[in-house]
Amino acid sequence: MARKKRRSMLYIPGNNPAMIQQAGVYGCDAVLLDLEDAVALNQKDAARILVRNMLQSVEFYDTEVCVRVNNMHTPFGLADLEEIVPLQPDNIRFPKTESVQDVKDFMKEVRRIEKEHGIKKPTMTIHVMIETAKGVANVYEIAGADPRIDAITIGGQDLTADMGIVKTPDGVGIDYARKRIVMAGKAHGLDVLDTVFADINDEEGLREETEYIKKIGFAGKALINPRQVDGVHEVFNPTENEVRKAYRVYSEFIRNKNAGIGVFAIDGKMVDAPVVQRAITVLEYANIDLKEIEESVAS
Amino acid sequence: MTPKFKAQAGTFESSDIMVLIEPVSEETGRQIDISSTVMLQFEEDIKNTINQVLDDLDIQNVHLIAKDKGALTPTIKARVEAAVKRSLGIQEGTM
């Protein structure tokens, strides 16, 4: 099965019914129903109840659904888990993760709730957010702290606040953190997802930032407005030339593999495992079924 | 259970519903006042949904005022539940 795309993950305030009920039609790869920073302190209860009801009723189509709960060190974190975990959204996003112990404490509660509700084969995965200097320092251990973690993400606004710096459009203050988080995530085979781009009117700035984070290894980006979805997808989608090249590489790979040949050349350039892996990634982003290529080569 | 405090949940935004709860004395029963932008088509549905949540939470005596702006059923359920829980003092919130 092709790996799930996470080019665009759109934050939706958990207390906004109009946006939640439309979440499945924005065209983003994933929606992040937010119980944390997008909800006022005196509305945490109402948002939690609303998200729980919406998860049971709203059609999200093939959009991945993630719920960002409050940190376990707040009065709201455990209450969020009690309401949301039994419904098994695709993922839960755990903010301000600073240590392996944070992950252990959080997962202990997740597993207890699943057990209490008789969920024997949980499907929900975990996204951990790195938003403090301490979290960045511990990120490699955090990324490997539990087998249900399948993505790691950077929270740029909170991180710059924790570092006592201003988040600038060039992102220079969080560049080290971005790269360190990418390496930690890649080392554990996780999707690594970037922080939001706050200026919804700066389409060029969003494009430049997305091109940069794609180059350094991020699989996608968190968004705060549906208007940002298309711009981010354009950057992450492969070009026609890239797709044609990848198709050729994968076809030749299958043909040579069937003939028992491991390394081969196309147009005088060696094709080995990393080149094939890159081709597979391009084909998956282009929604091309690898099985169909394999069958067409075999026939 | 009987509401102890005045409470509210929801907003006047489109697709939402504002629910206000006023405590009443025992044996008063339920008084539900609804106003909605889709009153003609959905008044009965809204009332049924509200009653279903009040049944689930075992609330027999209450004055509930609902100002609806086209909320879907899960939103109505959520706002009634939040308002009732706030009025029972078992959940934080406004008013």
Side-chain angles (χ1 to χ4, degrees), chain A residues 15 42-43 45 52 54, chain B residues 75 79 81 86 92 94:
Chain A
N15 205 30
N42 66 358
Q43 297 298 328
D45 59 334
R52 187 234 296 147
M54 289 299 208
Chain B
T75 304
R79 297 318 194 189
E81 180 182 337
R86 287 172 176 179
E92 295 169 9
T94 52

Side-chain angles (χ1 to χ4, degrees), chain B residues 30 32 50-59 62 80 84:
Chain B
R30 289 177 189 167
I32 299 172
I50 291 170
N51 272 313
Q52 187 192 330
V53 178
L54 295 177
D55 287 345
D56 291 345
L57 296 170
D58 194 22
I59 304 294
V62 67
V80 174
V84 167

